[in-house]
């Protein structure tokens, strides 16, 4: 996998990222790859925020993976900074190649570099394969998450 580059997302990457977000049963219900307007607007907000890191994995000039890493300073845990991993996606023909591991390792390394004491993520309860993947990488299902749609 030496030909893989993990780099910041550019506006040119948005269509490929949205296609990956929509390429699963949950994403197909909530994403709209045919209208990139909201995604471009969100990207413009993200790219100006220093604690937001939206990255893509690129192989042979093709976007094959993505994730968002958010750095969150806080008071709890003795003023610890934590990071949150969101929107992890690997292109369908790259699944099982180790790319997901590389992306998560990048996020963990960047979190350390940014002085984080904790890395956290959520995963929909139906994504049992993803749960096994995260546990294999050392994450533990230590909390119950709650969400409120607004």
């Amino acid at each position: 996998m030496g030909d893989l580059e993990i780099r910041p997302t550019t506006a040119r990457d948005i269509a490929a990222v949205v296609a990956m977000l929509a390429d699963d049963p949950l994403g197909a219900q909530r994403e709209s790859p045919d209208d990139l307007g909201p995604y471009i607007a969100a990207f413009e907000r993200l790219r100006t925020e220093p604690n937001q890191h939206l990255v893509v994995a690129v192989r042979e000039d093709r976007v094959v993976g993505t994730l968002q890493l958010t750095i969150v300073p806080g008071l709890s845990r003795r003023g610890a900074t934590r990071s949150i991993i969101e929107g992890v996606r690997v292109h369908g023909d790259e699944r099982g190649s180790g790319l997901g591991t590389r992306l998560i390792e990048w996020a963990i390394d960047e979190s350390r570099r940014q002085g984080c004491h904790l890395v956290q993520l959520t995963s929909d309860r139906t994504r049992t394969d993803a749960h096994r993947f995260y546990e294999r990488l050392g994450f533990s299902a230590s909390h119950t998450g709650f969400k409120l749609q607004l």
Side-chain angles (χ1 to χ4, degrees):
M1 290 231 299
D3 60 341
L4 183 75
E5 176 188 14
I6 297 175
R7 62 160 172 79
T9 302
T10 67
R12 291 184 316 274
D13 302 322
I14 298 301
V17 168
V18 173
M20 286 186 292
L21 292 172
D23 185 28
D24 71 29
L26 292 174
Q29 297 172 30
R30 58 187 179 207
E31 306 301 343
S32 300
D34 54 327
D35 178 12
L36 294 180
Y39 302 99
I40 297 292
F43 171 72
E44 289 303 318
R45 288 190 311 270
L46 287 169
R47 73 180 190 80
T48 62
E49 292 287 331
N51 287 337
Q52 298 293 334
H53 306 278
L54 183 62
V55 299
V56 289
V58 178
R59 184 189 315 283
E60 297 175 1
D61 295 321
R62 186 172 75 114
V63 174
V64 293
T66 187
L67 67 71
Q68 179 178 339
L69 181 70
T70 301
I71 308 300
V72 183
L75 290 177
S76 66
R77 296 179 180 245
R78 301 177 56 113
T81 298
R82 66 184 69 209
S83 65
I84 302 170
I85 299 172
E86 295 276 340
V88 179
R89 294 294 189 282
V90 171
H91 194 280
D93 62 9
E94 290 274 342
R95 291 183 188 136
S97 71
L99 175 56
T101 299
R102 292 276 304 275
L103 279 166
I104 297 298
E105 288 172 346
W106 176 90
I108 292 168
D109 290 345
E110 181 63 19
S111 296
R112 281 191 182 106
R113 194 183 75 69
Q114 297 259 349
C116 295
H117 295 96
L118 177 72
V119 178
Q120 60 190 41
L121 56 83
T122 60
S123 179
D124 189 275
R125 73 179 74 158
T126 63
R127 296 183 190 273
T128 55
D129 289 343
H131 302 166
R132 284 190 296 274
F133 168 72
Y134 293 127
E135 287 170 351
R136 194 180 81 242
L137 293 175
F139 290 84
S140 63
S142 61
H143 290 67
T144 299
F146 295 90
K147 294 187 179 192
L148 174 66
Q149 295 292 326
L150 302 179

